[in-house]
Amino acid sequence: MINLKKMALVLVVSMLTLGLISTQALAAKNVIVMVPDGCSSSIQTLSRWVKGAPLNVDGLTSGAVITHMSNSIITGSAAAATAFATGHKTSVRFLGVGPSEKCPKGKQLGFLTGVEPTAAPFAPVESILEVAKRNGKATGMVATSRITHATPAAFACHIDDRGKDNEIMEQLVYADIDVVFGGGARHLIPKGESYVTSFGDKWGGKRKDGENLINELTKRGYKFVDSKDGMSAVTSDKVWGMFDDSHLDPDLDRDDLHSTQPSIAEMTAKAIEILSKDSDGFFLLVEGSQVDWAGHANDAAYMTGDFLAFDAAVGVALDFAKKDGDTLLMAFPDHNTGGLSIGHEQSKFPPKYTDTSLQAMIDPIKDAKMTIRGLISKIPSPATKENVKETFVAYHGAYWAAMPDEAGQWVAETFNANEKKDKAYYPIAEYVSKHVTAYGWTTHNHTAEDVPLWTYGPNRPVGTFDNTKLAIIAAEAFGYSLNGSAAWEEHSEGVLGDTKKDPNPVATVGDWEYPVSKDIRKNKKSGKIDRLVDITVWAPANGKVYIPKQ
Ligand SMILES: [Zn+2]
């Protein structure tokens, strides 16, 4: 009997061991999430025709993503990113916090029928990046916009409005992310001060709290770089690369406007090179931020240029994942933008949809050297139908020599009527698409249809998933769970005292002072400073302060 019991025990133990081993074998060491902001499969098709070869994402198609937010069928970027970063649906413009019936300014938002809130209003909810960091993984983020943009911010920030760039930047600096590449340096520098770059540009500051966060990054052991060359030379494990004071350039315009900026593929390659040195593995978020802006603008050349640049970055990540064998790669847009369609009824080019040639598809954009915004800046003033056509031919290719006179005339009049040429950008891009190409657009805003899911690696998800499920899949891939607001301790607004109007508010609990949006606390008596596992979050809308649990 004893022997049998002993045998059974040995069997159970070995089964557990086997179970453990097989779970570990199934878990991924690294997870890479890549988001081409604001697009859908129409840009995948168009980009493939323009490239004339299969895309990197083509081989990864594995399903679809459902995108609605808590208060609308059509999502905004902040709520979408919060969903796939944290696993919680939230309200428009909220980042990394629970949804609310009302926005902070009191406007009624409500909830879509069938959407039950899974977190308390304005309470911070942890992201996959934060969970990975707490478990010893290296973490990184890459974007082609200001790094405070909605998608990267949702992975490390907790705030009620995506427009609060200064607060978001502070939270990112104190989030202890190992590698950060993108734009937005002006939110690291105090107002009235400036930073002179390694290539002689001067970036002015926007911070209203007087803090120089470039100095803080240096104090925290980061190497700070501002150019492509600076980035390539980095050997440090901790690096911030800010390549413009605000957003980076569209991929098409970069060489002309700021050749010191790296491409999204170059940033992705460097981030992977640094993060993969961590033997515990890593989590990396990469956003092709401007695919969305091209959709907002109805600019097919801009959208194709930035989508192909994103696809090249996917190629870099895919090469790594294939060699590594232990990396889950998930790429998906956050929503569609612009409603691009290939073919529309107003077009005279071609006259009939079943006569659509390869030329009709690719010629309007294949020789584009610039976005339409960039091209408009090259039209001589005053514009005429002749110089409009000449400019389109010079910057978008020979196809545009066939631009009908009436179209050239309309563009010239719109250009001349707009004092600010930026204002002429949307209507001109919309007009030329509709009257001179086969590309159709339904809106200058977002649309609600499902977006494609592209995946590679161990246990890659296959099927149709709500965007919240993607965060859970990423966490499960690592063998972790996402624990909502459990990492923070909630306090009433009393703890902020009279610092509420201060640009640097501080919560006081017991003997400790907790500066808002930072990962430190200071002992009132001894002056001792502790690093916390997370940032202290203040939600002015409900008066609560959330302090990281130790
Ligand atoms: Zn978006």
Side-chain angles (χ1 to χ4, degrees):
M1 282 303 280
I2 291 165
N3 275 350
L4 269 177
K5 265 188 184 169
K6 204 173 172 184
M7 269 174 68
L9 191 68
V10 168
L11 201 65
V12 168
V13 168
S14 56
M15 276 169 74
L16 280 173
T17 310
L18 278 172
L20 201 66
I21 287 166
S22 67
T23 310
Q24 277 174 345
L26 287 172
K29 184 179 173 191
N30 314 305
V31 174
I32 304 174
V33 171
M34 305 185 77
V35 179
D37 200 291
C39 61
S40 193
S41 49
S42 51
I43 195 63
Q44 187 177 351
T45 309
L46 182 56
S47 299
R48 188 187 311 117
W49 281 118
V50 168
K51 186 183 177 191
L55 304 176
N56 291 307
V57 292
D58 285 343
L60 309 183
T61 302
S62 74
V65 182
I66 299 165
T67 67
H68 66 272
M69 61 181 164
S70 67
N71 64 295
S72 168
I73 294 287
I74 302 179
T75 192
S77 292
T82 298
F84 54 73
T86 73
H88 297 272
K89 290 280 187 201
T90 197
S91 313
V92 62
R93 300 187 71 85
F94 290 18
L95 282 172
V97 298
S100 167
E101 198 78 48
K102 289 179 178 174
C103 85
K105 287 179 181 143
K107 188 189 155 205
Q108 192 67 25
L109 298 171
F111 291 98
L112 279 178
T113 308
V115 173
E116 295 287 336
T118 53
F122 305 107
V125 281
E126 71 184 352
S127 76
I128 174 63
L129 182 146
E130 291 165 330
V131 175
K133 181 182 68 182
R134 282 200 261 284
N135 282 280
K137 304 268 183 193
T139 56
M141 55 172 65
V142 168
T144 57
S145 58
R146 292 195 293 266
I147 200 68
T148 51
H149 200 229
T151 307
F155 283 81
C157 300
H158 307 280
I159 199 157
D160 61 14
D161 190 340
R162 59 171 293 186
K164 296 178 174 173
D165 284 81
N166 284 331
E167 288 86 344
I168 291 169
M169 190 60 103
E170 184 164 33
Q171 295 192 8
L172 289 171
V173 164
Y174 287 90
D176 199 25
I177 305 161
D178 299 293
V179 176
V180 175
F181 292 147
R186 68 190 194 186
H187 298 289
L188 291 169
I189 305 160
K191 209 173 173 167
E193 291 181 27
S194 56
Y195 166 87
V196 179
T197 67
S198 60
F199 45 93
D201 279 7
K202 205 172 181 184
W203 293 342
K206 288 258 182 193
R207 296 199 65 77
K208 291 175 185 154
D209 62 1
E211 295 195 39
N212 187 320
L213 296 180
I214 296 181
N215 293 349
E216 182 62 33
L217 286 169
T218 312
K219 252 194 272 170
R220 289 184 162 233
Y222 286 96
K223 174 88 181 151
F224 184 82
V225 296
D226 58 21
S227 70
K228 179 161 67 173
D229 293 344
M231 181 185 81
S232 327
V234 166
T235 51
S236 165
D237 294 347
K238 285 169 78 82
V239 56
W240 267 63
M242 292 280 101
F243 308 109
D244 208 328
D245 61 341
S246 183
H247 306 301
L248 306 192
D249 296 326
D251 195 68
L252 281 176
D253 298 355
R254 189 177 60 250
D255 286 348
D256 193 53
L257 298 179
H258 295 100
S259 56
T260 54
Q261 294 178 4
S263 70
I264 183 172
E266 289 164 341
M267 291 191 282
T268 302
K270 189 67 187 187
I272 291 174
E273 177 197 311
I274 296 169
L275 296 172
S276 61
K277 286 192 272 181
D278 191 316
S279 56
D280 298 315
F282 67 86
F283 173 83
L284 173 64
L285 178 269
V286 177
E287 184 197 33
S289 318
Q290 303 195 24
V291 182
D292 173 69
W293 303 346
H296 279 290
N298 293 181
D299 184 340
Y302 182 4
M303 201 174 196
T304 309
D306 266 60
F307 189 80
L308 285 171
F310 172 80
D311 189 65
V314 170
V316 167
L318 185 59
D319 283 349
F320 171 81
K322 280 180 176 167
K323 269 186 220 129
D324 175 70
D326 213 4
T327 299
L328 175 63
L329 168 61
M330 297 200 287
F332 49 87
D334 51 348
H335 51 76
N336 193 14
T337 303
L340 171 66
S341 70
I342 296 172
H344 67 96
E345 280 197 321
Q346 290 99 325
S347 181
K348 299 168 191 150
F349 304 88
K352 192 165 174 245
Y353 72 94
T354 47
D355 291 335
T356 305
S357 64
L358 179 62
Q359 280 64 42
M361 185 58 50
I362 67 174
D363 283 4
I365 50 180
K366 80 171 181 352
D367 298 326
K369 295 185 189 77
M370 253 185 194
T371 62
I372 290 185
R373 180 184 219 151
L375 180 154
I376 287 172
S377 73
K378 304 284 184 184
I379 296 176
S381 194
T384 62
K385 63 177 187 287
E386 289 82 13
N387 68 24
V388 162
K389 203 184 284 191
E390 280 163 19
T391 311
F392 268 89
V393 172
Y395 292 97
H396 267 204
Y399 171 89
W400 293 84
M403 180 191 265
D405 281 352
E406 75 218 48
Q409 188 62 37
W410 190 94
V411 171
E413 282 167 16
T414 305
F415 178 90
N416 292 334
N418 280 280
E419 196 86 5
K420 280 194 168 169
K421 297 312 172 203
D422 264 11
K423 292 264 188 268
Y425 174 36
Y426 279 27
I428 288 176
E430 181 186 327
Y431 185 93
V432 298
S433 258
K434 193 180 281 179
H435 292 84
V436 192
T437 77
Y439 319 131
W441 302 87
T442 61
T443 177
H444 285 285
N445 292 305
H446 297 181
T447 61
E449 66 273 23
D450 296 352
V451 290
L453 175 65
W454 306 293
T455 58
Y456 178 86
N459 294 323
R460 73 175 193 143
V462 176
T464 299
F465 300 95
D466 189 78
N467 53 6
T468 52
K469 181 71 180 161
L470 298 173
I472 296 160
I473 290 169
E476 282 173 352
F478 277 141
Y480 308 149
S481 56
L482 291 160
N483 298 306
S485 307
W488 287 270
E489 194 179 283
E490 187 184 304
H491 291 267
S492 69
E493 70 181 310
V495 302
L496 276 178
D498 57 7
T499 68
K500 270 176 77 174
K501 290 207 174 79
D502 200 306
N504 293 301
V506 178
T508 305
V509 178
D511 290 340
W512 294 92
E513 291 177 337
Y514 296 80
V516 166
S517 294
K518 294 180 182 165
D519 67 340
I520 49 173
R521 66 172 184 176
K522 187 176 167 190
N523 192 287
K524 280 193 294 184
K525 290 172 188 158
S526 66
K528 179 176 177 275
I529 292 175
D530 285 346
R531 278 286 280 276
L532 308 175
V533 292
D534 230 303
I535 52 168
T536 293
V537 177
W538 173 33
N542 66 7
K544 288 177 177 157
V545 177
Y546 302 87
I547 287 164
K549 285 181 190 162
Q550 289 307 290

